[in-house]
Amino acid sequence: MRLVRGAWKILVGIKDALVLALLLLFFAGLFAVLSARPDNKAIEDGALFLALDGTITEQPARIDPTAALTGQAIPHEFALQDVTRALEAAKGDDRVKAVVLDLDGFMGGYPAALTSVASAIADVRKSGKPVLAYATAYTDSGYMLASAASEIWSDPMGGVLIRGPGGSQLYYKGLLDKLGVNAHIYRVGTYKSAVEPYMRSDQSPAAKEAMQALYGSIFSQWQEMVAKLRPQADIKAMVADPATLIAAANGDLAKASMNAKLIDHMGDRIAFGKRVAEIAGTPDDRPAGSFRAIGYQDWLDAHPLPTTGDAIGVITVAGEIVDGEAKPGMAGGETISRLILDALKDDKLKALVVRVDSPGGSALASEQIRQALLQAKAKGIPVVTSMGSLAASGGYWVSTAGEEIFAEPNTITGSIGIFGIIPTFEDTLKKIGVNADGVKTTPLSGQPDIYAGTTPEFDQILQSQIENGYARFVGLVAKSRKMTPERVNEIGQGRVWVGGDARQLGLVDKFGGLDDAIAEAAKRAKLDPKKVHAEYLTEKPGEFEQLIASLLRESDDKDNDHVSADATTDLFARVGMERRAMLAQAFGDARRLVDAGSVQARCLQCAGLGPVAPSPEDTKLVSLFLQHAAQ
């Protein structure tokens, strides 16, 4: 019998191996077929169709092939530079009769990214081409983009609701006390509020003061931008007293939005599609509401990045900064430093721009990236920093390597401070009658002891390490920005600043985007800025990942000649979706803080100003919690 079972296992193993081999051969063949096809489709006259059903980010996360094959929902992320490049190319191309923005599924972006895209949309409109925006209902992020359009459409059951930044965040101190978990917190910075959820049940006065100033500045800039793009809109009335405005329209939000000139037309998708067809034409044998369209990815493929002239390297530090390796969407210290050092092996790069869009993370990884950038400077290669939407804490740590720092007026930066968290469970164990005891040879034996707690000596050592790390952070900022350490400490303490304030404080040199930073780097390398091109230092995806991405693209672009109804959401659905995503993101942030294995230079409060885009892991975590709570 044992022999039979053994033979059966061998046969099953052979069967599994054959199935796997056949799958690999199938996908390899499919990839070869797709690769053999022409990359660029012929661009015909129509409307450039931008269905922004996701978030706008600096560097989209790499697609997980396994998740794609299992049907798991994959959040859409649009690269900021790609979106603005597509819009820039549309201005002078006669094949583009209009630009259509489908914002029903738009989940936002950080303020600086939204401003850049809105400015690019406005430039298309100024060129004389119509820009038409549609959403069932608009909230702040979507309306920022729509305000740059020449026509804003809303469903009669939709409208515009402006809420402004702010809201509540979770505080876990009460829960930790009930569970008996002791969160040992080591930090420096009056405003380093990332750790407050583990040590308080509410927001500290210092953190509240800083966040009120930050949110007030961001929202003021939002209102100024919208008023500039759409001066006829009565934004002030909708912000100051929306309830009265909506009540005057008998509770009809869309009508109230029309009365305040926030939108131009009320109509369903069919009516909107017919309007676009008047400009772009109607395709043959298509249902009502269809129009001739140019797909976003096809348009990008037809307008690749330039490759002529001298190469200015661009290294992107986007997402959470973590130790070791990481794929795009996160900034792995080992990955990014290796990309920089590999690029320095030859003399191809004439200058280097570090594009930072990160809330920080590991202090060790941040320093690893900074040291790699210093190697470029040691070779005489100019290094310029370009801050995107977010360059805070560890993101600012990396930024100090630049000889010149560019930022946008609403870039979120600063947060100069560090911290560390270690949970122990001695009180949790006591609640169930379990005690811990043992032999120690030194005051540090077994530390940190998750069963019996930390010792005063261990706490003192870790706090001193945090203070030493903060002094190092202050020192490198002082040296980079030509300030005294006392001045840096005064404007540091973990406080977050917008780009405008940061420039006045000396943390930033100039306002400008990535193109401005590339031009400055070229000048420092004694090159003509008009005769250089950006060469992005990044790891190429594998063939299997390219295959999955190609398949997903085919799925996304197969029906791009009308405004899709798949993402339709009324106001209640949109707000509910955002709140669920916010809860998932909060749970994920809490998990990442506790799981972090190193000293952290992170700006957790920055997340409240950006898109609500939890990872699939975050969504699973909150789903498990809600299922448990319902039992």
Side-chain angles (χ1 to χ4, degrees):
M1 183 61 70
R2 186 176 300 173
L3 181 63
V4 173
R5 284 199 298 266
W8 178 253
K9 288 181 180 179
I10 292 173
L11 291 173
V12 170
I14 293 173
K15 182 264 294 181
D16 291 342
L18 288 173
V19 170
L20 179 60
L22 287 172
L23 281 174
L24 290 174
L25 286 172
F26 168 75
F27 283 117
L30 186 58
F31 179 77
V33 171
L34 291 174
S35 300
R37 296 184 311 172
D39 289 333
N40 296 337
K41 293 182 180 178
I43 302 297
E44 299 179 352
D45 291 0
L48 177 58
F49 183 47
L50 303 183
L52 299 177
D53 54 341
T55 60
I56 294 175
T57 184
E58 187 66 35
Q59 185 182 58
R62 188 75 59 81
I63 294 173
D64 180 359
T66 304
L69 290 174
T70 57
Q72 184 176 327
I74 300 175
H76 281 196
E77 295 181 340
F78 297 85
L80 170 62
Q81 306 304 328
D82 286 348
V83 175
T84 54
R85 174 160 56 95
L87 291 166
E88 176 67 24
K91 289 193 303 183
D93 196 310
D94 293 336
R95 294 172 295 181
V96 178
K97 306 304 180 184
V99 172
V100 173
L101 305 174
D102 177 3
L103 299 171
D104 237 345
F106 187 53
M107 296 301 292
Y110 276 97
L114 296 178
T115 299
S116 295
V117 175
S119 297
I121 295 169
D123 287 343
V124 175
R125 188 183 69 187
K126 290 174 186 175
S127 73
K129 293 187 187 240
V131 180
L132 300 92
Y134 185 92
T136 305
Y138 296 93
T139 52
D140 304 30
S141 295
Y143 193 74
M144 162 67 88
L145 303 190
S147 67
S150 46
E151 293 184 25
I152 303 179
W153 285 66
S154 170
D155 189 275
M157 297 182 67
V160 181
L161 190 66
I162 305 303
R163 293 172 293 174
S168 301
Q169 70 177 83
L170 297 178
Y171 288 81
Y172 313 106
K173 184 65 168 64
L175 174 62
L176 295 179
D177 289 344
K178 286 185 178 181
L179 296 175
V181 178
N182 294 321
H184 300 268
I185 296 168
Y186 314 92
R187 68 167 180 164
V188 177
T190 303
Y191 300 97
K192 202 63 184 174
S193 56
V195 295
E196 285 192 354
Y198 300 92
M199 56 188 293
R200 297 177 59 93
S201 298
D202 59 357
Q203 195 172 50
S204 70
K208 194 178 290 291
E209 171 199 344
M211 294 311 295
Q212 283 177 336
L214 178 66
Y215 283 173
S217 181
I218 290 291
F219 192 46
S220 176
Q221 291 183 24
W222 184 94
Q223 293 180 78
E224 290 172 6
M225 183 69 175
V226 171
K228 177 183 176 182
L229 294 172
R230 191 175 175 85
Q232 70 268 36
D234 193 355
I235 289 293
K236 291 184 178 179
M238 183 59 83
V239 169
D241 193 3
T244 298
L245 199 67
I246 296 168
N250 296 319
D252 189 333
L253 179 60
K255 184 178 179 180
S257 301
M258 281 282 289
N259 293 340
K261 295 183 170 55
L262 299 179
I263 60 176
D264 298 300
H265 304 282
M266 288 189 290
D268 62 13
R269 292 178 173 277
I270 296 176
F272 177 72
K274 288 181 177 179
R275 168 60 182 143
V276 178
E278 291 175 3
I279 304 169
T282 305
D284 297 331
D285 301 324
R286 295 297 296 161
S290 299
F291 53 85
R292 295 191 181 278
I294 301 170
Y296 170 68
Q297 190 60 52
D298 293 334
W299 184 249
L300 283 179
D301 290 344
H303 295 84
L305 290 167
T307 57
T308 58
D310 291 304
I312 304 294
V314 178
I315 185 71
T316 303
V317 182
E320 181 185 355
I321 299 174
V322 297
D323 297 317
E325 301 280 348
K327 292 182 178 180
M330 297 184 74
E334 184 66 32
T335 301
I336 293 177
S337 63
R338 187 182 66 251
L339 288 170
I340 296 170
L341 296 175
D342 286 347
L344 297 177
K345 289 179 180 178
D346 54 42
D347 297 326
K348 186 177 180 181
L349 296 183
K350 304 301 181 184
L352 187 61
V353 173
V354 52
R355 176 69 170 180
V356 182
D357 194 80
S358 171
S362 165
L364 181 63
S366 300
E367 177 63 10
Q368 185 177 11
I369 295 169
R370 191 183 75 90
Q371 287 295 331
L373 293 169
L374 294 182
Q375 292 301 310
K377 296 174 74 172
K379 290 189 64 173
I381 296 176
V383 177
V384 174
T385 296
S386 171
M387 292 181 172
S389 297
L390 183 61
S393 210
Y396 192 82
W397 188 307
V398 171
S399 298
T400 59
E403 300 159 25
E404 195 97 357
I405 298 179
F406 285 81
E408 303 287 357
N410 50 2
T411 293
I412 301 165
T413 188
S415 191
I416 299 169
I418 64 175
F419 67 89
I421 301 176
I422 295 178
T424 59
F425 303 91
E426 63 273 23
D427 291 338
T428 306
L429 296 174
K430 289 178 182 178
K431 288 177 179 289
I432 58 175
V434 177
N435 294 309
D437 198 3
V439 175
K440 300 176 182 179
T441 56
T442 74
L444 299 182
S445 293
Q447 291 296 307
D449 192 332
I450 64 170
Y451 304 128
T454 58
T455 63
E457 293 87 351
F458 181 79
D459 289 339
Q460 181 181 346
I461 290 171
L462 260 64
Q463 181 61 33
S464 67
Q465 288 292 296
I466 293 294
E467 291 172 2
N468 179 266
Y470 177 69
R472 174 188 284 269
F473 198 168
V474 167
L476 69 90
V477 173
K479 182 178 180 181
S480 169
R481 307 309 302 159
K482 296 180 173 58
M483 298 181 184
T484 64
E486 291 76 18
R487 175 57 177 161
V488 176
N489 183 53
E490 182 182 344
I491 61 179
Q493 296 291 320
R495 182 152 185 174
V496 183
W497 306 95
V498 291
D501 292 336
R503 186 181 180 189
Q504 291 180 351
L505 294 169
L507 296 175
V508 167
D509 293 302
K510 297 177 181 177
F511 290 146
L514 180 58
D515 290 342
D516 299 297
I518 292 172
E520 176 65 26
K523 292 176 184 176
R524 288 176 176 267
K526 296 180 172 54
L527 300 172
D528 184 348
K530 296 180 181 179
K531 297 180 180 179
V532 301
H533 73 274
E535 184 161 312
Y536 289 85
L537 309 181
T538 184
E539 291 186 328
K540 304 299 182 185
E543 291 186 352
F544 188 52
E545 289 183 61
Q546 292 181 51
L547 167 64
I548 298 302
S550 179
L551 291 173
L552 290 175
R553 172 189 158 185
E554 291 290 323
S555 175
D556 288 342
D557 286 351
K558 67 181 179 180
D559 196 22
N560 63 1
D561 59 355
H562 69 288
V563 178
S564 170
D566 293 343
T568 299
T569 51
D570 63 17
L571 185 64
F572 283 92
R574 171 171 290 278
V575 172
M577 182 170 58
E578 289 178 358
R579 297 305 99 178
R580 288 192 298 273
M582 183 176 291
L583 180 61
Q585 188 168 282
F587 270 68
D589 286 338
R591 175 180 57 81
R592 282 184 285 275
L593 270 182
V594 174
D595 287 348
S598 60
V599 174
Q600 296 291 294
R602 181 199 301 257
C603 175
L604 188 61
Q605 62 267 44
C606 296
L609 290 165
V612 184
S615 68
E617 292 77 14
D618 297 346
T619 303
K620 287 180 182 178
L621 181 63
V622 77
S623 295
L624 289 172
F625 170 78
L626 293 175
Q627 289 174 8
H628 179 74
Q631 292 176 354

